[in-house]
Amino acid sequence: MGATPRSAFRALLTRLTVLATAAAATLTAITTTAATAAPARAAACTGYVGLTFDDGPSGNTTGLLDALRRNGLRATMFNQGQYAAANPSLVRAQVAAGMWIGNHSYTHPHLTGLSQARIDSEISRTQQAIANAGGGTPKLFRPPYGETNATVKSVAARHGLTQIIWDVDSQDWNGASTEAIVQAAGRLTDGRTILLHDWSANTLAAIPRIARVLASRGLCAGMISPRTGRAVAPG
């Protein structure tokens, strides 16, 4: 004999309850997996390296920032004061993209051949230009061409700046190919920094591959500590 309408309804209700319980259990499992995945990714960073880009901001900055964001990278942008003053919106874009801003002098001269007063002007005007553009007050300074001496370093220190050179030179300023730039990034080890340039098309093309190379070695892009000058976990 067939089931009565009432018993059929009770059977349907029981099935729906079972299905709802199973769905809830599945959702809980997915949520738990997602929650544990983020710490696992964070734990994959066995060291931090400093990606540094000199000479910006420029017409290439927007594309560079997009590439860095798409590939989960952050970097220190050593800006020239004259370009920061001329392109304040790009300085703000650097900050909005999560980058750190450093001082790279105002006009990119050979500082070691200048008087102390002119060195001071190059550094102080850049501090002001970056602050006026919305980039905050830099704590890091990179002398143009990596040329420095006791006077340059002491003037920078008076402005609260830590001098940062680099550990690996990508040679992008010298026409290095995209492949050579990627290989240079592959020489980075924990705490070390690489010299790159904002305006280099080959460097822009290298960004996705640099991200993959670093990830394959458990290295993440970090900030440069003003205290030690080494790349560390972002604060």
Side-chain angles (χ1 to χ4, degrees):
M1 185 167 75
T4 66
R6 185 182 298 275
S7 62
F9 175 75
R10 283 200 298 269
L12 177 61
L13 184 62
T14 299
R15 289 180 64 192
L16 289 174
T17 301
V18 170
L19 289 172
T21 301
T26 301
L27 180 60
T28 299
I30 293 172
T31 303
T32 301
T33 301
T36 57
R41 285 195 297 270
C45 295
T46 58
Y48 292 88
V49 298
L51 305 180
T52 69
F53 292 85
D54 288 10
D55 296 347
S58 73
N60 200 47
T61 299
T62 299
L64 174 61
L65 294 177
D66 287 345
L68 290 169
R69 281 184 294 197
R70 283 197 306 271
N71 289 280
L73 299 175
R74 298 175 72 183
T76 300
M77 320 301 281
F78 282 105
N79 287 339
Q80 288 188 41
Q82 60 182 337
Y83 300 143
N87 302 284
S89 63
L90 292 179
V91 176
R92 292 191 293 273
Q94 291 172 335
V95 174
M99 308 303 155
W100 300 279
I101 313 298
N103 183 320
H104 193 42
S105 81
Y106 202 85
T107 64
H108 208 273
H110 294 276
L111 292 177
T112 54
L114 302 183
S115 67
Q116 183 171 318
R118 289 188 61 191
I119 295 170
D120 188 276
S121 175
E122 284 284 333
I123 292 174
S124 63
R125 285 196 297 158
T126 303
Q127 290 291 89
Q128 192 63 56
I130 290 172
N132 289 346
T137 302
K139 299 185 184 311
L140 304 176
F141 169 67
R142 171 165 288 162
Y145 313 104
E147 296 172 351
T148 189
N149 57 24
T151 302
V152 171
K153 192 170 183 178
S154 67
V155 171
R158 284 205 302 272
H159 289 281
L161 292 161
T162 299
Q163 180 175 275
I164 304 296
I165 307 298
W166 55 81
D167 299 297
V168 176
D169 183 351
S170 71
Q171 291 283 312
D172 62 350
W173 56 271
N174 198 28
S177 67
T178 295
E179 178 64 32
I181 293 167
V182 173
Q183 289 179 2
R187 297 198 298 272
L188 286 168
T189 56
D190 182 35
R192 304 182 81 198
T193 62
I194 185 170
L195 171 66
L196 300 158
H197 287 82
D198 171 281
W199 45 263
S200 169
N202 286 346
T203 294
L204 177 60
I207 297 300
R209 293 177 60 191
I210 289 174
R212 291 194 293 271
V213 166
L214 295 180
S216 72
R217 299 174 56 217
L219 296 172
C220 296
M223 64 179 287
I224 299 174
S225 167
R227 185 177 63 82
T228 65
R230 289 176 55 82
V232 297

